[in-house]
Amino acid sequence: MRLYSLVIVGLAGTLGWTGWASSCAVAGDTPPPAATLDHVVADNHTITPSGKRGTEDVYELPARPGRLLLSFGDAERLGRTPVQLRYRLDGRDDDWRDPDHGLMRFQLRFIDANNQLVDGDESWTKGRSPGWTGQIETSPFQHRSKRITVPPRAAKLMLWLISAGPEETTGVRVFESIRISVVDKDGTPDREIYQSDFETGEDLDNPFGVPKDWERDGTKPGVGRVVRLPGPPARHALALIDEDPSGLGGWITSSAGSPAVTSGDELLVEWSELYAVGEGGAASVAYDDLASGEYRFRISECSHLGVPQGPEYTAVIQVPPPVWARPWFWAASAAGTTGLFALFIRQVSRQRTQRQLAIAEQQRMIAADRMRIAQDLHDDLGANLTRIGMLSDLVRSPAITADESRRYLDQIFENATGLAKHLNEIVWAISPHNDAVEPFSAYLCKYAQDFVASSGGRCRIDLPDRLPDVPLPSNIRHNLFLAAKEALHNAVKHSRAATIVLRLGVVDGRLTIVVEDDGCGIPAAATREASGGKGFANMQRRMQQVGGTFSCESRPGKGTSIRLSVPVSTS
């Protein structure tokens, strides 16, 4: 009585749902709406419809989406639970697909002498069996088999046919026969321990009859049914027919009908089946790395037999090409490339012109250095050599006395010493090894100390702890040295100073030399006259030639300060 009550309850639920659908059709009501897309998510960003194309929703995705997640079949939105859904993405899928979760199981349960589960194995199905026509009566059965070893402590083998993948599983799975044999070491069946007999039992022509050795099981016992297959010969089969996406049900062998097994035996399980298994209720599917283009996502609501029912839903999904694949990008790239090429040509031409100007400037500076050296050799060295020659002639004259000869020889020595110093200055000025602030300062300081000391004065040098390593071209060095030399000569010759101070430093991109003395100074009127004199004019001219400045400050009785400054490159 309890078993038939469960069957009646399950059947009432199934017939109630079917009756509701039938009453809608009889009354001429509009069929329930087809399942639609509930959520579209691309790379964790929700996408909403951008518009419609006829009756189709249009979704525009970002270019090159990594993962597209589509959800559909929400019962709350539909107002009901779909029995079974199929989908396909035209342009990506070759055929209709079923949600991955719906499946029905055929389980082998090994139990011990106390009816406790020891171990088990299962075979499951989803989708549609080969040759499925949408009807049980016209679809072919498929033969399947598997081998399994009886585990230790196992005493019996119970067979369990259940519609539970998840409870949302719907569809049919029909078993025409089940056979279990013990096989030998060669895999040849040795003896049969179970052979299904679906022709013996109670009320087998009724879908809710009960075959021998079988019992219904689950929260929806009405899922387990007996179907009559057409002949010849007509026969019965055991079936799982699940039309409701809530709950589960099926068949299980009775304790008396479960075959005895022996631990260590190898069993060959064979059965013939057909199926159409899907999933009801909400479903979702993911697509990875969709190429650019236009796709159509289609959803079809089906019966528990997998037969389409009602209108089909279609949505347009557009994936734009990446930026680099769009026509405007290539046009912009071509224009940009042309512009860059023109800019490159212009830059190359500009650099070439700058190199030519730099070479011309370098040649001009070399020519100027040559002219300067030639002028120095002609003016100073030539005059000194002429004087030395004249003095030598006088020394050889028999008309001079010994004292006069010694005096002339001393003058020759002084002129030769001065000539050597001047040659050293010329060599130092043209040597590229000295084209920097530090060697220039060292040379100038040594010259100042030697020159002031030779006149009997005292020279104090004021330098920073460290001078920057910046270049100082030869033309600047030459003019700056001669101007500083002129300032030192003026201080020694005219100031009657006890101490002469030489300061040198680089501040704010300028090399500054200050020559100070504590001598008599220059009266205001004399300063104005001196500023137009040859010494000051020479210093000012040399500073102007190299872009520098010259200034002189003097107070009578307080000394004189001459400042020479030129720009230097500190980069």
Side-chain angles (χ1 to χ4, degrees), residues 494-516:
H494 303 295
S495 69
R496 300 191 298 274
T499 302
I500 296 176
V501 179
L502 174 66
R503 291 192 178 92
L504 188 146
V506 177
V507 179
D508 296 332
R510 298 187 70 86
L511 171 61
T512 301
I513 298 173
V514 178
V515 178
E516 293 180 348

Side-chain angles (χ1 to χ4, degrees), residues 140-162:
F141 282 89
Q142 308 295 318
H143 180 267
R144 298 181 65 184
S145 65
K146 72 181 308 179
R147 293 171 65 171
I148 185 170
T149 301
V150 180
R153 298 189 299 108
K156 287 185 178 183
L157 174 61
M158 297 185 69
L159 310 182
W160 192 42
L161 314 177
I162 193 71

Side-chain angles (χ1 to χ4, degrees), residues 144-457:
R144 298 181 65 184
S145 65
K146 72 181 308 179
R147 293 171 65 171
I148 185 170
T149 301
V150 180
R153 298 189 299 108
K156 287 185 178 183
L157 174 61
M158 297 185 69
L159 310 182
W160 192 42
L161 314 177
I162 193 71
S163 68
E167 290 186 351
E168 291 80 9
T169 297
T170 60
V172 298
R173 187 176 185 181
V174 181
F175 292 82
E176 182 184 32
S177 64
I178 301 174
R179 181 172 182 265
I180 303 175
S181 306
V182 177
V183 297
D184 57 22
K185 295 180 180 180
D186 297 330
T188 304
D190 183 24
R191 68 180 188 280
E192 183 180 281
I193 63 172
Y194 177 80
Q195 174 63 60
S196 61
D197 179 11
F198 301 140
E199 303 302 326
T200 303
E202 300 178 8
D203 200 11
L204 297 181
D205 288 333
N206 186 324
F208 297 99
V210 181
K212 179 185 176 183
D213 298 331
W214 289 89
E215 299 176 352
R216 287 183 171 85
D217 192 30
T219 60
K220 296 186 302 180
V223 170
R225 302 188 194 181
V226 178
V227 296
R228 184 174 178 82
L229 304 175
R235 60 205 185 280
H236 295 91
L238 209 58
L240 304 176
I241 301 178
D242 195 338
E243 304 170 272
D244 185 358
S246 61
L248 55 91
W251 294 98
I252 189 170
T253 53
S254 63
S255 178
S258 300
V261 293
T262 303
S263 297
D265 283 349
E266 187 168 355
L267 305 181
L268 174 64
V269 183
E270 301 174 274
W271 69 97
S272 295
E273 67 175 355
L274 57 84
Y275 54 88
V277 180
E279 181 180 348
S284 62
V285 60
Y287 292 94
D288 293 327
D289 301 322
L290 284 181
S292 58
E294 184 170 283
Y295 302 84
R296 274 179 168 75
F297 186 69
R298 299 160 59 188
I299 305 172
S300 176
E301 187 172 352
C302 303
S303 68
H304 68 285
L305 296 175
V307 178
Q309 293 180 329
E312 182 182 294
Y313 171 81
T314 305
V316 178
I317 296 179
Q318 297 175 336
V319 180
V323 173
W324 54 263
R326 302 181 189 182
W328 65 263
F329 175 82
W330 289 106
S333 297
T337 302
T338 303
L340 288 175
F341 182 74
L343 184 62
F344 173 75
I345 295 298
R346 179 182 177 186
Q347 186 68 16
V348 170
S349 177
R350 182 179 178 184
Q351 290 177 351
R352 182 181 300 169
T353 302
Q354 290 176 342
R355 284 197 298 271
Q356 291 173 347
L357 291 174
I359 292 172
E361 177 65 17
Q362 185 178 16
Q363 291 174 345
R364 186 193 66 78
M365 292 175 63
I366 291 173
D369 282 343
R370 289 175 177 174
M371 289 291 295
R372 175 176 54 79
I373 294 170
Q375 188 69 33
D376 289 345
L377 290 175
H378 178 270
D379 293 344
D380 295 334
L381 299 185
N384 285 334
L385 288 174
T386 299
R387 183 172 178 78
I388 290 174
M390 293 174 62
L391 292 172
S392 298
D393 289 341
L394 291 173
V395 170
R396 290 197 298 268
S397 174
I400 64 172
T401 64
D403 291 338
E404 290 177 331
S405 178
R406 283 194 296 274
R407 180 165 54 84
Y408 291 150
L409 287 174
D410 289 340
Q411 292 180 9
I412 291 173
F413 177 76
E414 290 177 0
N415 278 271
T417 303
L419 183 62
K421 289 182 179 179
H422 195 64
L423 282 173
N424 182 56
E425 291 176 8
I426 293 175
V427 172
W428 172 83
I430 64 176
S431 174
H433 297 292
N434 300 317
D435 288 347
V437 168
E438 189 167 352
F440 169 79
S441 64
Y443 186 85
L444 178 60
C445 291
K446 184 177 186 307
Y447 175 85
Q449 288 177 325
D450 292 344
F451 178 71
V452 174
S454 65
S455 65

Side-chain angles (χ1 to χ4, degrees), residues 28-97:
D29 293 343
T30 303
T36 60
L37 274 174
D38 301 321
H39 300 286
V40 176
V41 179
D43 295 333
N44 297 321
H45 295 286
T46 300
I47 309 297
T48 57
S50 59
K52 277 188 172 292
R53 186 182 297 174
T55 60
E56 300 174 334
D57 291 327
V58 179
Y59 291 86
E60 295 182 358
L61 305 187
R64 305 182 70 179
R67 163 156 287 208
L68 174 64
L69 181 65
L70 305 173
S71 303
F72 51 93
D74 187 352
E76 292 185 4
R77 294 187 60 182
L78 288 173
R80 58 187 176 81
T81 302
V83 174
Q84 200 173 107
L85 295 173
R86 292 193 305 168
Y87 65 91
R88 66 181 294 171
L89 184 63
D90 291 343
R92 181 70 174 262
D93 297 327
D94 296 328
D95 200 355
W96 287 95
R97 296 174 59 185

